Amino acid sequence: MVKINQNYMKLPGSYLFSTIGRKVREYEEKNPDVKIIRLGIGDVTLPIVPSVIDALHMAVDEMGRKETFRGYAPDLGYEFLREKIAEYDYRARGCQISADEIFISDGAKCDCGNIQEIFSTDSRIAVCDPVYPVYVDSNVMAGRTGMYDPGQQRFERVIYMTCIGETGFLPEIPGEVPDLIYLCFPNNPTGAVMKKDRLQEWVDYANRHGSVILYDAAYESFISDEDIPHSIYECDGARSCAIEFRSFSKTAGFTGLRLGFTVIPRELKAEGVSLWDLWARRHGTKYNGAPYIIQRAGEAVYSEEGRKQIRKQVSWYMDNAKIISEGLKRAGYEVSGGVNAPYIWMKTPGSMTSWEFFDYLLEDIHVVGTPGSGFGPHGEGYFRLTAFGSREDTIEAMERIGK
């Protein structure tokens, strides 16, 4: 008789955003005339910029001609894209990352979830609390986390690094040494950022103890302060202890196109084995590459005109973040984030739980956000809103909440 992977049975409930989607659909079915404003899931609303659209059209035309048709992409991705990434995202910031250390994929979410496959199942992981659910859930599926404690709302073998307002929602270095350390900055969900000197402490810690940092930099393009690093490789010694994930989803509006990449330096090793080699083996075995036309679109992001257009979009979303942040503060809410990140992290009013506040906003204000408790027990009492809505919806949402 066939047996299932029992680790899936350890997962508490459904995926956070699936639950939100179900609750919103059910409410809409009962109230079809109500206008719902969605500021919950971080999906973009601005169209793809013209430079990228032009590149897509040209790539599609190439696929229709015998002499320029392309089949399977190279395992690591096309060199024309990897070289642009290395030049503009890394070497321009003083990071010594080469094109052959970049693995093109269909998004950072997949890579963040899949990277754990190259590590032992008895590896101890450390995550921030609150945290992006994929980091924990993918390790649960692999059998790395032990059993779930409903009372603590935690898995027994996971090292949780508490992030609270008193610390600026930044984690403290744990007393118990983890094997794998998940860090995400600018942070999802809190919008917190980490300065270079603080990040350097984590790099030094990882090198000292032989840990590997899994660094999610999906929102780096929203950083405006000069003392905030865009990449962990801006820190000395990061090449020997860190893997970095990036995404085009929010930076260039590719949520519907799907494109991202992972960086693994050649000298990064565990037990004397190259992690680059392991990821290359996994990548080549289980993945056939992002489509040629999408990688050409990614290349256009780095053109002179493309970079100009992308910066304008990012600025537009950050104007939304400012509207939300200021609107909530005027309404009397305690707010953080929304400065170097597209997420606004707010305290729920009074003694309302985050799901009670979700239901209140949905049913009475008709605005959708994300309950903080869905990101971990220390997210309870908080709520996340995103800056990726339309300008009109963002303004209207703040008017509704203000009233």
Side-chain angles (χ1 to χ4, degrees):
M1 182 177 69
V2 68
K3 295 182 179 180
I4 64 169
N5 180 349
Q6 288 292 331
N7 293 311
Y8 278 69
M9 306 306 293
K10 301 173 185 176
L11 292 165
S14 62
Y15 182 53
L16 171 62
F17 297 107
S18 299
T19 301
I20 291 172
R22 175 183 56 78
K23 290 174 75 74
V24 173
R25 286 194 302 273
E26 290 174 353
Y27 183 81
E28 286 182 315
E29 289 171 2
K30 296 176 182 177
N31 303 273
D33 297 328
V34 171
K35 178 188 175 182
I36 302 295
I37 296 177
R38 291 170 169 79
L39 300 179
I41 295 175
D43 198 1
V44 296
T45 51
L46 291 177
I48 301 294
V49 299
S51 292
V52 174
I53 293 297
D54 290 343
L56 281 168
H57 281 300
M58 286 188 287
V60 168
D61 289 341
E62 287 184 75
M63 296 296 280
R65 296 191 295 268
K66 182 178 180 179
E67 62 272 21
T68 53
F69 172 79
R70 306 290 183 107
Y72 290 125
D75 280 357
L76 270 66
Y78 286 102
E79 188 172 358
F80 61 74
L81 176 56
R82 291 186 289 112
E83 186 55 47
K84 293 292 186 185
I85 291 170
E87 177 183 356
Y88 288 100
D89 286 337
Y90 294 100
R91 290 197 291 267
R93 295 190 178 279
C95 306
Q96 298 308 307
I97 297 296
S98 62
D100 69 353
E101 294 174 318
I102 296 166
F103 294 79
I104 303 300
S105 72
D106 58 359
K109 179 181 180 179
C110 294
D111 288 350
C112 287
N114 293 329
I115 195 69
Q116 51 81 25
E117 290 187 22
I118 68 174
F119 298 101
S120 168
T121 53
D122 61 3
S123 298
R124 294 293 302 277
I125 70 166
V127 298
C128 294
D129 174 19
V131 66
Y132 181 47
V134 170
Y135 308 151
V136 175
D137 288 1
S138 58
N139 280 281
V140 174
M141 295 169 181
R144 193 174 283 112
T145 61
M147 298 302 295
Y148 183 69
D149 183 339
Q152 296 290 323
Q153 300 179 53
R154 291 182 167 186
F155 287 91
E156 59 185 355
R157 295 196 70 250
V158 175
I159 299 170
Y160 290 89
M161 303 178 293
T162 300
C163 300
I164 56 178
E166 288 77 5
T167 63
F169 298 103
L170 296 178
E172 299 290 340
I173 289 177
E176 184 178 4
V177 178
D179 300 301
L180 303 173
I181 304 168
Y182 285 84
L183 295 178
C184 173
F185 293 102
N187 186 259
N188 177 16
T190 67
V193 290
M194 186 176 286
K195 293 185 177 181
K196 186 176 179 179
D197 58 346
R198 187 75 175 271
L199 185 57
Q200 184 67 57
E201 293 177 8
W202 283 92
V203 170
D204 295 341
Y205 172 84
N207 278 319
R208 192 161 58 246
H209 293 285
S211 304
V212 173
I213 297 174
L214 304 175
Y215 194 75
D216 186 348
Y219 304 99
E220 61 81 26
S221 63
F222 296 90
I223 294 172
S224 56
D225 292 352
E226 293 184 1
D227 58 348
I228 306 299
H230 289 249
S231 168
I232 196 169
Y233 300 117
E234 294 178 43
C235 295
D236 295 335
R239 285 182 57 87
S240 60
C241 71
I243 295 172
E244 184 165 288
F245 309 98
R246 293 278 190 101
S247 172
F248 288 76
S249 288
K250 309 305 192 299
T251 298
F254 277 32
T255 54
L257 294 183
R258 308 307 306 144
L259 189 65
F261 60 90
T262 291
V263 180
I264 303 185
R266 288 281 192 172
E267 62 258 44
L268 180 56
K269 295 182 179 181
E271 297 185 290
V273 177
S274 164
L275 296 184
W276 188 99
D277 288 339
L278 295 184
W279 186 242
R281 186 68 170 89
R282 194 264 175 207
H283 208 65
T285 300
K286 292 191 173 185
Y287 185 62
N288 268 336
Y292 170 72
I293 60 174
I294 305 301
Q295 293 197 46
R296 280 296 186 194
E299 179 191 30
V301 169
Y302 297 96
S303 68
E304 183 177 354
E305 192 61 28
R307 284 182 290 136
K308 179 180 177 181
Q309 292 168 356
I310 295 299
R311 284 195 298 269
K312 186 176 180 180
Q313 277 201 348
V314 167
S315 177
W316 191 91
Y317 284 128
M318 290 310 296
D319 285 343
N320 273 358
K322 185 177 181 180
I323 291 169
I324 294 171
S325 181
E326 291 181 351
L328 292 174
K329 289 175 181 177
R330 283 195 302 271
Y333 290 97
E334 182 181 325
V335 180
S336 60
V339 178
N340 292 286
Y343 295 116
I344 295 85
W345 190 240
M346 62 181 292
K347 194 84 173 64
T348 59
S351 60
M352 293 182 78
T353 68
S354 54
W355 275 109
E356 286 173 345
F357 190 58
F358 173 89
D359 290 337
Y360 167 71
L361 282 185
L362 174 62
E363 296 168 10
D364 291 57
I365 313 297
H366 312 314
V367 172
V368 176
T370 307
S373 62
F375 298 102
H378 278 88
E380 182 57 89
Y382 289 91
F383 203 76
R384 191 194 76 173
L385 294 174
T386 84
F388 295 115
S390 71
R391 180 60 49 78
E392 296 77 15
D393 281 353
T394 299
I395 292 172
E396 183 178 348
M398 290 307 101
E399 289 175 348
R400 293 183 186 182
I401 292 174
K403 291 177 182 178

